[in-house]
Amino acid sequence: MITVRREGVLLETTGLKFENESVMNPAVIAEGNTVHLFYRATSEGNLSSIGYCKLEGPLTVVERRDKPLLFPEFDYESQGVEDPRIVKIENTYYLTYTAYDGYSAMGALATSDTVEHFTKRGVITSQFTYQQFKKRVTPERKKASKYFRTNNRRESVSPTGKKIYLTDKNLVFFPRKINGKFFFLHRIKPDIQWVAVDNLEDLTESFWDNYFLNFTYHIFFESRYPHESSYLGAGCPPIELPEGWLVIYHSVCDTPSGYVYSASAALFDLDNPTIEIARLPYPLFSPETRYEMEGVVNKVCFPTGAALFDGRLYIYYGAADKCIACASVRMSELINELMRYKNE
Ligand code: BMA
């Protein structure tokens, strides 16, 4: 087993209107000794925006903005900008988030040359209704049957006449191009899927049309163990190591008292990340402290960002959808343990 050190709660709500209900699920990027943290903040009534704070070293908050950095501006995100992740590829920051319009939750992108002034690029995941998705995936019915059993949003139109799209979130980029292509993960319940494209402009309707016609080929990661039996989602941007891409993801298991969200770990091939090298057969850490067990949603550890300091991996996560906490592990210990569970 790996020794996981709870570093405790890092950020809590304040009296400021945009973050007076909860703070959680932060995007994290470390540059030298500085860690930039872009977190989901909710105001009463559950409207999300993205706040910013800066750390020196893994745990010391030195700056926290009193206004959100990103907030709903467009129809597709009118009810919230949620769950950011961030990477830097060739001098550009790519901040992905869930755009929620009150009915549909979709993966959206914002880019910037600095950590401050992001330009929104709109929704980049598919915008298909469940029925459109089902029609395209039906020829693969056998392999895709769990997608039709999962609690995916089924309606196509809202009472107000708005189109409702299949929920597609947890959009997470790899932090560099792989074989010249952008490589990212997204999640249509219950698995994680992958996309590789030369240019992000290639993500057109006809791209997604073809993608769904060949859908099961794009499944990146499926649940195997009890703690991930309900569904999975990409968590922190993958971390490049000599042994492979380390992916910290969230794994979800339904229980009589509700879903339990844990932080889990797996390793993928550097040149072809669709190849799984190893995964832990148990969660890296699960809700156990009071701040993870009780909050807006109980029993949630939702990892979304990580940073490496002196051989320790600091994992930042939303705890019970209420506050932001951090836990750390020795990287060598985690890799050694993963290697014990290599795929045949
Ligand atoms: C997911 C998202 C996250 C949240 C998690 C646990 O679907 O809504 O923002 O942290 O559920 O409630």
Side-chain angles (χ1 to χ4, degrees):
M1 290 288 267
I2 304 156
T3 312
V4 176
R5 191 163 83 196
R6 291 292 199 286
E7 305 288 358
V9 173
L10 198 67
L11 233 55
E12 295 188 271
T13 53
T14 66
L16 295 168
K17 192 166 178 291
F18 80 98
E19 57 180 12
N20 61 7
E21 166 95 12
S22 63
V23 294
M24 55 178 149
N25 309 354
V28 171
I29 192 158
E31 294 183 328
N33 200 45
T34 301
V35 179
H36 304 283
L37 213 125
F38 307 80
Y39 58 94
R40 175 176 174 191
T42 69
S43 60
E44 252 175 66
N46 195 30
L47 184 70
S48 296
S49 55
I50 295 174
Y52 171 83
C53 86
K54 188 152 99 178
L55 316 181
E56 279 307 317
L59 299 168
T60 309
V61 179
V62 293
E63 184 189 327
R64 184 169 176 178
R65 297 281 168 93
D66 59 7
K67 288 191 182 67
L69 203 67
L70 284 101
F71 45 84
E73 291 173 283
F74 302 103
D75 190 46
Y76 63 85
E77 56 182 20
S78 60
Q79 296 308 305
V81 295
E82 306 178 350
D83 300 348
R85 311 320 202 268
I86 193 166
V87 296
K88 191 178 188 184
I89 305 172
E90 295 161 10
N91 296 322
T92 300
Y93 294 96
Y94 292 80
L95 188 143
T96 50
Y97 61 95
T98 301
Y100 183 55
D101 71 359
Y103 294 99
S104 309
M106 303 156 284
L109 173 69
T111 57
S112 176
D113 297 338
T114 69
V115 289
E116 288 207 28
H117 304 290
F118 284 86
T119 306
K120 289 183 179 165
R121 307 282 172 196
V123 172
I124 65 164
T125 53
S126 63
Q127 286 167 282
F128 280 70
T129 63
Y130 174 79
Q131 294 307 333
Q132 288 173 313
F133 166 77
K134 191 174 171 195
K135 197 168 143 206
R136 282 158 184 79
V137 176
T138 291
E140 296 188 284
R141 178 171 283 287
K142 261 209 176 122
K143 280 197 265 175
S145 66
K146 60 183 159 177
Y147 286 84
F148 309 131
R149 289 198 311 268
T150 307
N151 187 23
N152 276 319
R153 215 166 171 153
R154 297 253 195 297
E155 316 92 291
S156 299
V157 190
S158 77
T160 54
K162 204 173 187 147
K163 260 200 166 176
I164 302 178
Y165 302 120
L166 184 69
T167 300
D168 191 347
K169 34 194 214 175
N170 298 305
L171 174 60
V172 180
F173 275 53
F174 277 63
R176 68 164 169 85
K177 290 183 179 174
I178 297 171
N179 303 318
K181 290 179 192 286
F182 287 100
F183 200 99
F184 65 82
L185 306 177
H186 64 123
R187 202 284 310 283
I188 296 169
K189 272 183 186 169
D191 304 323
I192 301 174
Q193 300 83 18
W194 64 272
V195 171
V197 275
D198 290 323
N199 301 297
L200 297 174
E201 293 70 37
D202 299 346
L203 298 165
T204 58
E205 194 176 332
S206 81
F207 170 90
W208 288 109
D209 207 9
N210 287 320
Y211 185 89
F212 287 133
L213 287 170
N214 198 8
F215 181 61
T216 56
Y217 171 70
H218 295 100
I219 295 175
F220 178 76
F221 198 57
E222 298 178 77
S223 61
R224 191 184 299 155
Y225 298 110
H227 64 279
E228 46 187 34
S229 56
S230 294
Y231 49 93
L232 309 154
C236 312
I239 299 153
E240 187 167 12
L241 300 170
E243 295 82 358
W245 291 105
L246 172 65
V247 172
I248 306 291
Y249 60 99
H250 64 265
S251 50
V252 185
C253 169
D254 201 0
T255 71
S257 62
Y259 288 120
V260 177
Y261 280 72
S262 301
S264 297
L267 200 63
F268 296 83
D269 186 81
L270 282 183
D271 289 328
N272 181 359
T274 67
I275 300 172
E276 181 186 323
I277 298 175
R279 87 167 93 176
L280 293 183
Y282 56 86
L284 189 55
F285 59 94
S286 293
E288 61 181 51
T289 65
R290 198 184 47 75
Y291 56 85
E292 295 161 346
M293 295 295 283
E294 287 169 33
V296 175
V297 180
N298 295 342
K299 299 187 186 168
V300 174
C301 293
F302 196 86
T304 41
L308 195 57
F309 279 91
D310 298 327
R312 285 196 84 78
L313 181 68
Y314 290 81
I315 301 167
Y316 302 84
Y317 61 101
D321 283 8
K322 181 67 183 173
C323 63
I324 294 169
C326 181
S328 73
V329 291
R330 185 145 284 291
M331 184 64 108
S332 54
E333 211 180 312
L334 174 56
I335 295 302
N336 288 344
E337 181 72 355
L338 271 163
M339 287 309 188
R340 289 182 56 209
Y341 298 102
K342 263 186 123 169
N343 289 342
E344 292 305 312

